[in-house]
Amino acid sequence: MFGYSIKSYRGDEMLQLMTRVKIISDLLNLGLPVGKEAYIIGHNRRIDIAYQYLIRVPALKKEFWVVANDIKPLSDSDTSLDYSSEVNKLLIDVALKTKQFDIIKNLKGTKED
């Protein structure tokens, strides 16, 4: 963002603020919602504290301090796949409510004879 990278105390690069991440584990038994998506909203650069990132989980409307091994950054391809699947689900819901079944057929790739 500003042309420089932030280094952690371990020497590797820290994730940038507002990076979309997925919670993959709960190493310190903090009650993290494993499998949920979150955003990094803060860093902790002190070496005497284990928690490295402050994340916000929009689904729960809560913030958690986590270690770096508990989260995995989502790539742009993960994001676009998530969005496209959500759009498909929404289109199917609209098609079912409006009884326009040709929308579902187009999404599924089947052709009408």
Side-chain angles (χ1 to χ4, degrees):
M1 177 172 15
F2 295 106
Y4 62 90
S5 60
I6 300 171
K7 299 277 187 182
S8 74
Y9 58 87
R10 294 182 311 212
D12 55 349
E13 298 219 6
M14 293 183 77
L15 299 172
Q16 293 193 0
L17 294 178
M18 295 310 295
T19 300
R20 189 171 172 215
V21 296
K22 188 169 197 166
I23 301 170
I24 57 172
S25 66
D26 188 6
L27 294 176
L28 301 176
N29 297 324
L30 301 172
L32 296 176
V34 177
K36 296 280 185 186
E37 293 179 6
Y39 293 91
I40 295 176
I41 61 172
H43 294 119
N44 186 2
R45 295 188 190 111
R46 293 181 49 186
I47 61 171
D48 57 340
I49 297 179
Y51 306 117
Q52 191 173 5
Y53 296 106
L54 178 63
I55 61 170
R56 168 108 175 130
V57 182
L60 301 178
K61 298 180 181 171
K62 286 188 173 182
E63 291 87 21
F64 298 95
W65 281 102
V66 296
V67 294
N69 293 336
D70 281 346
I71 57 176
K72 176 186 86 164
L74 292 174
S75 66
D76 290 338
S77 62
D78 294 334
T79 304
S80 63
L81 288 175
D82 290 344
Y83 289 148
S84 65
S85 67
E86 289 298 319
V87 167
N88 286 347
K89 288 178 188 177
L90 181 66
L91 285 173
I92 289 173
D93 288 344
V94 168
L96 290 173
K97 287 181 183 176
T98 60
K99 297 182 181 177
Q100 295 179 353
F101 301 112
D102 55 336
I103 295 173
I104 297 173
K105 289 176 184 176
N106 288 337
L107 286 175
K108 298 297 179 184
T110 59
K111 294 184 180 176
E112 207 173 301
D113 292 331

